Amino acid sequence: MGTSQGNSLPTNTLTRPLLASDWRRFDYYAPRIKALGYFKNEYADRETYLWSDPTIVLPERAVTYDIVYQLAFYRRGRWLLPNLTHLRWNIHDYHYTDHLPLFLGPHLTSFAFAFRPEDTPPEDPYDPEEVTRGLNALVELCPGVTELEMCPSYPRGIVTASFDFAYDCLRLEGFHVNTALHAPLDPAFISYLAAQPHLRKVYLSMDHETAEDLATFLSAPLLVHPFSSLQNITLRVPYIRTCTTLLQLLDDCRLFSIRFEIGHSPFGEEVHCLFETLRGQCAKYTLHTFQIVQEDLCTCESQPHSAPEYTVSLPTFHPALYFSNMRFFMVDLPLRGWLSDEHLREIADSWPGLVDFTFLQIEKTGMRSPATWQGIAYIVCRCSQLITLNVAFDSTQGYITSPSELPEGLRPNNTLRFLDYIDSVLPDDPYPFALSLFTIAPRIASIKGTGWDPDTNAPLTHDPYAFTKQVDTILCKLRCEHYGEEYTLDVYGKHEIIDFNTEGFEPLPGNEWNPWAQP
């Protein structure tokens, strides 16, 4: 077996016919493979975020159809990987979907697939019947299967087959199927899911009528404790009040991950009521991930509302600080809001294990945030595992120019990779911005923003794209000066130096400086 590499991913290819010795080696390793299609290291609170978009999940090496065909044709047993328990099938496996049954062995417990029909190549058109047949046979081929995940959305026939799977599954533990493009789930099916004693993960999509009747049909006498084992939920509904209602129906739940997708902008008081209910219903130490976003914005709600009742801040979601193990927190709604330095300090002290934080990633709010570099430095350095930060602040105030100016007891964060300053106030000179960012997060890999304009009828005070480009160039020079060969001899540093035209260096290939590398 050899490799080839053009403009795309490195590809494994067969360079000669398979021999008996090859099969002995294959038969030795094949039974040891338990999971296929997964990263080497995955974390439960980032799981769906990592693989649900098929275009960002790239294998280290692509496998050609010829290899799979040869393995299938000359295999010695019924299944290629007889002890496989977890299988994830995405766009990079699409070409050999006709061989999918060879991976559906008796020990499989979890099956997930993700590829958008529009991503399939024209020379190999998408065949939904092929996927439907696989789903229809899934329970029969894999009697121990307990979880099905499908993302993004698929034709009605595939979705219907997934419903049949849920009814046929002997021990349903996961049903995370995106049904948003089709008729929402009916009350009977939702009640069936709610009655499953082992269900841990679920995706629920409801129309307005079903959402309004949720409390009624989930309070039926035969349904004493709906969703009694639930840990991971994605809920797509028109209004936020349905999210609050569902939480009220979950008695002493132990939720681990929550994602709410709503269709209409809520009032600030409704958001606060949601968090108050969450605090009263969910166990303190189990919740790691919380996201609430508004999907499919209509034209009238594409910009944040200016009325006072649509304003939010830390007091709005303060009850969420009760959950001390929070790692992924996102409030992405078309509302007006701001955080201060004191707010950022309180968030950091309450959630020291934070990995990803987003607050109102909406453009042109017209509000000048009171937060400064002092608050940003505290949350970045206090949350030492923070990778992504999306928040607006006044970047002209509270500069941090050296590590000695950091809050007492804190050190620079070497894990922060992504900063979106949204519509922050920007300085005239990008150097103090870049120096402050380098001081608190020297390995930052990507920054972006939209600038801020106090007069919505005037052009932006600063061009955010040109500003970001200038900051990137300054950061590149600061890394060259600070890290020396550790940066200039590395692949990532090499590309940055070329991109930002930093002169005076002749970088060579390396592999240490990587946006996701550990410090």
Side-chain angles (χ1 to χ4, degrees), residues 121-192:
E123 66 273 11
D124 189 8
Y126 172 67
D127 183 9
E129 291 299 322
E130 196 171 51
V131 179
T132 301
R133 288 193 298 269
L135 285 177
N136 288 334
L138 185 58
V139 174
E140 182 179 352
L141 293 174
C142 313
V145 69
T146 61
E147 297 183 21
L148 174 64
E149 297 188 45
M150 291 166 43
C151 196
S153 55
Y154 295 88
R156 183 180 298 276
I158 295 178
V159 174
T160 301
S162 72
F163 295 163
D164 295 336
F165 163 83
Y167 283 120
D168 295 338
C169 184
L170 299 177
R171 182 189 171 97
L172 187 63
E173 296 185 9
F175 186 79
H176 197 276
V177 177
N178 188 331
T179 61
L181 295 185
H182 306 287
L185 303 181
D186 61 81
F189 186 69
I190 295 175
S191 298
Y192 170 78

Side-chain angles (χ1 to χ4, degrees), residues 172-249:
L172 187 63
E173 296 185 9
F175 186 79
H176 197 276
V177 177
N178 188 331
T179 61
L181 295 185
H182 306 287
L185 303 181
D186 61 81
F189 186 69
I190 295 175
S191 298
Y192 170 78
L193 293 176
Q196 300 306 299
H198 306 291
L199 189 67
R200 297 180 294 103
K201 181 184 299 185
V202 71
Y203 182 108
L204 302 176
S205 177
M206 306 180 201
D207 59 13
H208 178 70
E209 183 178 354
T210 303
E212 291 299 304
D213 293 337
L214 182 66
T216 301
F217 63 78
L218 287 188
S219 300
L222 297 179
L223 197 56
V224 181
H225 298 292
F227 299 107
S228 57
S229 300
L230 196 61
Q231 298 176 6
N232 184 317
I233 182 171
T234 299
L235 178 63
R236 186 184 180 98
V237 290
Y239 296 97
I240 193 174
R241 58 178 176 266
T242 306
C243 306
T244 305
T245 299
L246 181 61
L247 290 175
Q248 291 169 343
L249 295 170

